[in-house]
């Protein structure tokens, strides 16, 4: 029995394609695995705070030395990291913004990449034996064309940052060409939905 952390990062509501695709995956997964548990986190419409000076001071201090204000500075970080630890599979929806990730998702990353919680001082990842599926939505195509692939700072960044904290079993489903006309959009969504259905049987 698995515990899934389902996270959406698009600030759009019902009009969000990435939200629709992560929901489709989780719904299909639960149909196959009805006993599994899901924790849902929405950092798109309910963003977490970016790290600040108090957060940095607290994260590099010994826990027994923390003053009340520094304990409070790490409260959301502790909550988010605890969610990571208790789940063994992650399903994240991440739209591409300006060739990378949305600012609210970057704030989430900064909250969970924390020394002595998700990685050690000698840069060893602690969040091991986990799987992550990242479903991205993109206006153009960056997966196959060499000239445009160099503009993709999304997948390489996500592979690097999650690998850094120990999550190396990473699967991507890219829904691309979503602003390239109705035909291209429909074809891309069909491809992504086919990949979703296939993955629910093998992941």
């Amino acid at each position: 029995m698995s515990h899934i952390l389902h996270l959406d990062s698009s600030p759009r509501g019902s009009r969000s394609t990435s939200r629709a695709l992560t929901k489709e995956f989780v719904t299909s997964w639960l149909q196959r695995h009805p006993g599994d548990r899901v924790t849902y986190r929405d950092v798109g419409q309910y963003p977490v705070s970016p790290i600040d000076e108090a957060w940095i001071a607290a994260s590099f201090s010994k826990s027994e030395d923390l003053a009340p204000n520094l304990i409070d500075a790490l409260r959301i970080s502790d909550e988010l990291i605890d969610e990571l630890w208790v789940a063994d599979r992650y399903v994240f929806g991440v739209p591409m913004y300006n060739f990378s990730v949305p600012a609210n998702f970057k704030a989430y990353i900064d909250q969970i990449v924390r020394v002595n919680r998700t990685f050690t001082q000698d840069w060893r990842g602690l969040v091991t034996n986990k799987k992550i599926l990242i479903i991205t939505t993109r206006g153009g195509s960056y997966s196959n064309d060499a000239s445009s692939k160099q503009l993709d700072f999304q997948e390489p960044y996500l592979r690097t940052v999650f690998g850094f904290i120990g999550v190396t079993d990473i699967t991507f489903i890219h829904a691309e060409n979503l602003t390239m006309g109705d035909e291209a959009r429909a074809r891309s969504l069909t491809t992504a939905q086919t990949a979703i259905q296939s993955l629910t049987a093998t992941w």
Side-chain angles (χ1 to χ4, degrees):
M1 194 164 65
S2 297
H3 184 170
I4 294 176
L5 173 60
H6 173 195
L7 181 145
D8 284 320
S9 62
S10 171
R12 304 172 80 191
S14 60
R15 297 172 60 239
S16 167
T17 303
S18 63
R19 287 176 182 273
L21 292 174
T22 61
K23 182 179 180 180
E24 182 171 341
F25 180 89
V26 172
T27 299
S28 297
W29 180 267
L30 290 177
Q31 289 173 349
R32 290 178 177 268
H33 308 276
D36 284 4
R37 179 183 173 191
V38 177
T39 297
Y40 182 67
R41 171 72 63 170
D42 184 349
V43 300
Q45 297 200 323
Y46 303 96
V48 299
S49 301
I51 62 173
D52 56 15
E53 184 176 4
W55 189 100
I56 295 170
S59 66
F60 287 95
S61 300
K62 294 181 179 180
S63 58
E64 61 270 21
D65 296 336
L66 293 181
N69 67 307
L70 296 185
I71 293 174
D72 189 61
L74 292 178
R75 197 173 307 280
I76 184 61
S77 177
D78 286 333
E79 181 180 329
L80 297 174
I81 291 171
D82 288 345
E83 285 181 349
L84 282 178
W85 278 112
V86 299
D88 55 283
R89 297 172 187 261
Y90 313 133
V91 178
F92 287 3
V94 186
M96 175 183 275
Y97 282 10
N98 300 318
F99 310 112
S100 186
V101 301
N104 46 20
F105 190 70
K106 179 59 166 61
Y108 172 81
I109 290 294
D110 290 342
Q111 290 281 359
I112 65 170
V113 179
R114 191 170 125 203
V115 67
N116 297 325
R117 287 298 314 271
T118 55
F119 71 96
T120 65
Q121 294 188 14
D122 59 354
W123 288 22
R124 178 173 54 87
L126 297 173
V127 190
T128 56
N129 301 314
K130 313 285 188 179
K131 289 186 175 186
I132 184 169
L133 166 64
I134 301 176
I135 299 177
T136 75
T137 48
R138 301 164 164 199
S141 178
Y142 303 88
S143 298
N144 300 313
D145 182 75
S147 61
S148 59
K149 195 169 185 176
Q150 64 181 337
L151 300 176
D152 179 7
F153 297 95
Q154 183 190 45
E155 179 176 338
Y157 168 67
L158 293 171
R159 284 193 181 278
T160 298
V161 75
F162 281 106
F164 178 70
I165 64 172
V167 185
T168 56
D169 190 337
I170 304 174
T171 301
F172 280 88
I173 294 177
H174 297 300
E176 299 190 308
N177 289 320
L178 298 183
T179 63
M180 297 300 167
D182 292 343
E183 184 178 342
R185 176 184 175 85
R187 185 165 55 247
S188 179
L189 289 177
T190 297
T191 300
Q193 289 165 334
T194 299
I196 284 171
Q197 293 305 316
S198 177
L199 192 61
T200 57
T202 60
W203 194 44

